[in-house]
Amino acid sequence: MIDMGIRIEFFDPATLDTDHRRLLGALCRPEGYLALAVPAIDSRISVSSLRLTPHDEWQPFVLGSTLRICDVVHQPAPRRQGSVPTWWGESPREPTVTVVLRAALRGSSLTLLPRIRQFAADGWTLEDPAEGSELQRSWQKARQQVDEERAREAPVHAPE
């Protein structure tokens, strides 16, 4: 089994030219998905395998049942005399792989919020956001909701 990361790059659907699409940002999870093998570029990943909630609560974020893998990023970890050298620091101690998926982002921040919130609650991060985009606004609101929910659920300790 391969522990695989996923990066979903969202593009503005109004920019149809595939060579000049406007990146709105990417939702990233560097680990947490098991695969039988490292997928190949141009193979497809089932959107339902990216489900982050119980099936009856899940709200898909893209149209279609699969997303094409556009890139595979390998991150090897060095070995010197059988172990990771100290100079490697806090970098991943094991080799990792991240698959890159691309999707057009459709909808307003209001309609995107429940879908994006699923990613925020599951520990994904937003990378390379386009300033002022619907993705950035939805992400900021989703993070705020998740943080507020976690604060309400945290046990309150009485001062000693």
Side-chain angles (χ1 to χ4, degrees), residues 15-21:
T15 55
L16 297 176
D17 182 352
T18 57
D19 293 330
H20 299 95
R21 289 185 284 186

PDB file of all heavy atoms in Angstrom, residues 15-21:
ATOM      1  N   THR A  15     -12.075  30.506 -17.941  1.00  0.00           N
ATOM      2  CA  THR A  15     -10.838  30.457 -18.719  1.00  0.00           C
ATOM      3  C   THR A  15     -10.716  29.073 -19.334  1.00  0.00           C
ATOM      4  O   THR A  15     -10.183  28.154 -18.739  1.00  0.00           O
ATOM      5  CB  THR A  15      -9.613  30.779 -17.833  1.00  0.00           C
ATOM      6  OG1 THR A  15      -9.608  29.892 -16.718  1.00  0.00           O
ATOM      7  CG2 THR A  15      -9.659  32.200 -17.329  1.00  0.00           C
ATOM      8  N   LEU A  16     -11.222  28.934 -20.528  1.00  0.00           N
ATOM      9  CA  LEU A  16     -11.313  27.626 -21.163  1.00  0.00           C
ATOM     10  C   LEU A  16      -9.998  27.142 -21.760  1.00  0.00           C
ATOM     11  O   LEU A  16      -9.780  25.946 -21.892  1.00  0.00           O
ATOM     12  CB  LEU A  16     -12.385  27.642 -22.255  1.00  0.00           C
ATOM     13  CG  LEU A  16     -13.809  27.917 -21.740  1.00  0.00           C
ATOM     14  CD1 LEU A  16     -14.772  28.001 -22.912  1.00  0.00           C
ATOM     15  CD2 LEU A  16     -14.234  26.842 -20.763  1.00  0.00           C
ATOM     16  N   ASP A  17      -9.123  28.055 -22.140  1.00  0.00           N
ATOM     17  CA  ASP A  17      -7.846  27.681 -22.740  1.00  0.00           C
ATOM     18  C   ASP A  17      -7.025  26.933 -21.687  1.00  0.00           C
ATOM     19  O   ASP A  17      -6.619  27.505 -20.684  1.00  0.00           O
ATOM     20  CB  ASP A  17      -7.108  28.924 -23.221  1.00  0.00           C
ATOM     21  CG  ASP A  17      -5.797  28.598 -23.906  1.00  0.00           C
ATOM     22  OD1 ASP A  17      -5.368  27.419 -23.892  1.00  0.00           O
ATOM     23  OD2 ASP A  17      -5.191  29.525 -24.462  1.00  0.00           O
ATOM     24  N   THR A  18      -6.780  25.654 -21.888  1.00  0.00           N
ATOM     25  CA  THR A  18      -6.119  24.832 -20.873  1.00  0.00           C
ATOM     26  C   THR A  18      -4.698  25.268 -20.581  1.00  0.00           C
ATOM     27  O   THR A  18      -4.172  24.977 -19.514  1.00  0.00           O
ATOM     28  CB  THR A  18      -6.117  23.343 -21.283  1.00  0.00           C
ATOM     29  OG1 THR A  18      -5.476  23.218 -22.555  1.00  0.00           O
ATOM     30  CG2 THR A  18      -7.518  22.792 -21.341  1.00  0.00           C
ATOM     31  N   ASP A  19      -4.064  25.994 -21.505  1.00  0.00           N
ATOM     32  CA  ASP A  19      -2.705  26.462 -21.257  1.00  0.00           C
ATOM     33  C   ASP A  19      -2.669  27.755 -20.445  1.00  0.00           C
ATOM     34  O   ASP A  19      -1.631  28.135 -19.934  1.00  0.00           O
ATOM     35  CB  ASP A  19      -1.958  26.681 -22.575  1.00  0.00           C
ATOM     36  CG  ASP A  19      -1.713  25.376 -23.305  1.00  0.00           C
ATOM     37  OD1 ASP A  19      -1.578  24.333 -22.620  1.00  0.00           O
ATOM     38  OD2 ASP A  19      -1.682  25.390 -24.535  1.00  0.00           O
ATOM     39  N   HIS A  20      -3.790  28.438 -20.341  1.00  0.00           N
ATOM     40  CA  HIS A  20      -3.818  29.729 -19.650  1.00  0.00           C
ATOM     41  C   HIS A  20      -4.966  29.799 -18.650  1.00  0.00           C
ATOM     42  O   HIS A  20      -5.582  30.846 -18.478  1.00  0.00           O
ATOM     43  CB  HIS A  20      -3.932  30.871 -20.672  1.00  0.00           C
ATOM     44  CG  HIS A  20      -2.775  30.908 -21.607  1.00  0.00           C
ATOM     45  ND1 HIS A  20      -2.796  30.304 -22.842  1.00  0.00           N
ATOM     46  CD2 HIS A  20      -1.548  31.452 -21.469  1.00  0.00           C
ATOM     47  CE1 HIS A  20      -1.632  30.483 -23.433  1.00  0.00           C
ATOM     48  NE2 HIS A  20      -0.855  31.179 -22.633  1.00  0.00           N
ATOM     49  N   ARG A  21      -5.250  28.708 -17.997  1.00  0.00           N
ATOM     50  CA  ARG A  21      -6.325  28.705 -17.010  1.00  0.00           C
ATOM     51  C   ARG A  21      -5.901  29.484 -15.770  1.00  0.00           C
ATOM     52  O   ARG A  21      -4.743  29.437 -15.363  1.00  0.00           O
ATOM     53  CB  ARG A  21      -6.697  27.278 -16.619  1.00  0.00           C
ATOM     54  CG  ARG A  21      -7.416  26.556 -17.731  1.00  0.00           C
ATOM     55  CD  ARG A  21      -7.879  25.230 -17.290  1.00  0.00           C
ATOM     56  NE  ARG A  21      -6.728  24.332 -17.259  1.00  0.00           N
ATOM     57  CZ  ARG A  21      -6.810  23.038 -17.026  1.00  0.00           C
ATOM     58  NH1 ARG A  21      -7.958  22.486 -16.768  1.00  0.00           N
ATOM     59  NH2 ARG A  21      -5.735  22.296 -17.010  1.00  0.00           N
TER      60      ARG A  21
END
